Amino acid sequence: MTGFVHDALPMRVVFGPGAVERVAEEVDRLGLRRVLVLSTARQGALAALVTDLLAQRAAGTFDGARMHVPTATVAAAQDVAAAVGADGCLAIGGGSTIGLAKALSLRLGLPSVVVPTTYAGSEMTPVWGLTEDGRKTTGRDPVVLPRSVVYDPDLTHVLPAAVSGASGLNAIAHAVEALYAPNGTPVISALAERGVRDLATALPRVVADGSDGEARSLALEGAWLCGACLGATTMGLHHKLCHVLGGMLDLPHAETHGIVLPHVAAFNLPAAPDADAVLRRALGADDVPAALRSLAAAVGVPDGLQALGVRHEDLARVSDEVLAAPYSNPVVPARADLEGILEAAWRGSR
Ligand code: NAD
């Protein structure tokens, strides 16, 4: 690394067991009086919990958040926000729910307080996504960055083992790609190293015992740090591949990341020796792709894209779309390289 520009994003984080009790304080700090509570249908109990805590500050609830932020869902949430006169929102849940809060920030300018309950990291980024007619559009806008993030590990005890493991690998992928990003800085490298170490230590324990409070705290801390890496840098081949795979074949987001990551790492790290050195330290291993493979196996990430129902004949279309779009990466893969990565990820050769 010879020179760099470090342009930090604003970040307010309230972290700790029981931190959810402080949501009303965070809403007051922003001067909000009528907050719309957002969740998925399955996280209704979490929505009820924060609604109680917010008392008169909760103007209404919208529990229709869905994966990939469909524009119809956003329109429905906008109607509710208008009907209750919302001046902000509080999202509680994973990347899908936080994605809906971002869409409302983008369209209505509503500031958000978010309470993440998975390890996806979206809360730390100014990146939004919207899906219409099966096509996902993404963009960056500082207006969508949550104004306050409340991390409460106690809320993650019930996050199922499979979701925890895959979502944790998703977070690690942000840090891996930040380490070889063109806009990486020493601050980002430090966050990435600590985030990967936290998650690699915590995830096997979380999967073995979801109520291990210390491991849940460590995993959520790792997710925060890795999410901050994502927010500050430009992602490479791994995120491009997962974006195309997810969008084209409607695959589960976190599992796709968990499966693909070791294969892209095996391709990229020989061309990114500094990133490799940081990851070797963070993982306590000499062979980073092998360590990522065994971590994915240990935390129950499905073995190969074929286990997600991907057909072998779909892989060529994925390569075509990845080759057609520009993205930054330490080394530009030729078609044969991409096909090799996809073949290995499809077979699940771990
Ligand atoms: P998600 O929000 O869909 O949640 C995954 C599953 O976990 C869901 O079934 C949800 O109901 C369940 N869940 C969430 N919290 C729970 C809890 N506490 N207890 C029990 N179950 C719980 O998925 P995700 O992996 O968190 O996020 C993925 C989405 O986020 C994708 O759409 C992805 O594109 C987006 N994302 C965006 C960014 C960004 O910067 N914009 C970054 C990462 C991910």
Side-chain angles (χ1 to χ4, degrees):
M1 193 178 287
T2 47
F4 56 84
V5 174
H6 186 75
D7 190 2
L9 292 167
M11 184 195 286
R12 179 175 169 84
V13 167
V14 178
F15 191 105
V20 72
E21 303 279 343
R22 293 172 63 181
V23 286
E25 217 178 294
E26 291 306 296
V27 162
D28 287 345
R29 235 190 111 255
L30 293 172
L32 303 175
R33 291 167 172 277
R34 298 189 58 76
V35 170
L36 179 63
V37 175
L38 307 173
S39 76
T40 60
R42 285 164 67 188
Q43 267 68 62
L46 289 176
L49 169 74
V50 289
T51 299
D52 277 354
L53 290 166
L54 290 172
Q56 79 286 355
R57 304 165 190 84
T61 307
F62 180 84
D63 70 356
R66 296 193 35 218
M67 186 103 132
H68 303 311
V69 199
T71 49
T73 303
V74 179
Q78 271 181 260
D79 289 347
V80 177
V84 302
D87 60 2
C89 40
L90 190 145
I92 184 159
S96 300
T97 309
I98 294 166
L100 178 59
K102 289 178 165 184
L104 293 181
S105 298
L106 188 69
R107 290 197 169 171
L108 303 176
L110 297 182
S112 68
V113 174
V114 307
V115 186
T117 61
T118 70
Y119 306 135
S122 174
E123 65 280 0
M124 282 294 134
T125 86
V127 178
W128 55 265
L130 285 170
T131 303
E132 183 150 31
D133 298 330
R135 202 162 184 88
K136 189 163 182 176
T137 315
T138 60
R140 260 178 193 263
D141 192 322
V143 79
V144 309
L145 188 69
R147 304 279 287 278
S148 171
V149 181
V150 178
Y151 286 108
D152 186 339
D154 288 350
L155 300 180
T156 62
H157 287 203
V158 289
L159 190 64
V163 184
S164 302
S167 167
L169 262 294
N170 184 192
I172 289 177
H174 307 330
V176 169
E177 293 226 283
L179 282 167
Y180 50 63
N183 44 2
T185 74
V187 173
I188 297 305
S189 298
L191 296 184
E193 181 169 349
R194 171 92 179 245
V196 171
R197 181 177 294 123
D198 285 352
L199 281 160
T201 306
L203 289 179
R205 286 173 56 189
V206 156
V207 166
D209 174 7
S211 62
D212 178 339
E214 204 182 85
R216 284 292 189 186
S217 278
L218 197 59
L220 203 55
E221 176 188 290
W224 160 40
L225 300 176
C226 292
C229 292
L230 172 67
T233 57
T234 308
M235 296 287 104
L237 173 63
H238 170 78
H239 281 72
K240 182 77 213 166
L241 253 180
C242 291
H243 184 86
V244 171
L245 278 162
M248 188 180 277
L249 307 174
D250 195 24
L251 301 182
H253 177 85
E255 287 79 355
T256 306
H257 273 266
I259 291 169
V260 171
L261 182 63
H263 303 286
V264 174
F267 177 72
N268 274 347
L269 291 178
D274 291 349
D276 191 44
V278 172
L279 290 167
R280 278 192 271 139
R281 279 201 303 273
L283 294 165
D286 287 338
D287 183 339
V288 171
L292 292 172
R293 271 199 306 275
S294 48
L295 180 62
V299 302
V301 170
D303 189 12
L305 293 171
Q306 59 176 331
L308 299 184
V310 175
R311 295 170 311 165
H312 194 261
E313 58 265 36
D314 291 327
L315 300 182
R317 285 197 294 139
V318 174
S319 294
D320 289 346
E321 192 160 324
V322 172
L323 284 166
Y327 55 88
S328 81
N329 203 51
V331 53
V332 180
R335 175 177 286 278
D337 297 320
L338 261 186
E339 286 172 353
I341 292 167
L342 277 168
E343 179 73 29
W346 182 78
R347 269 188 205 295
S349 46
R350 61 186 185 205

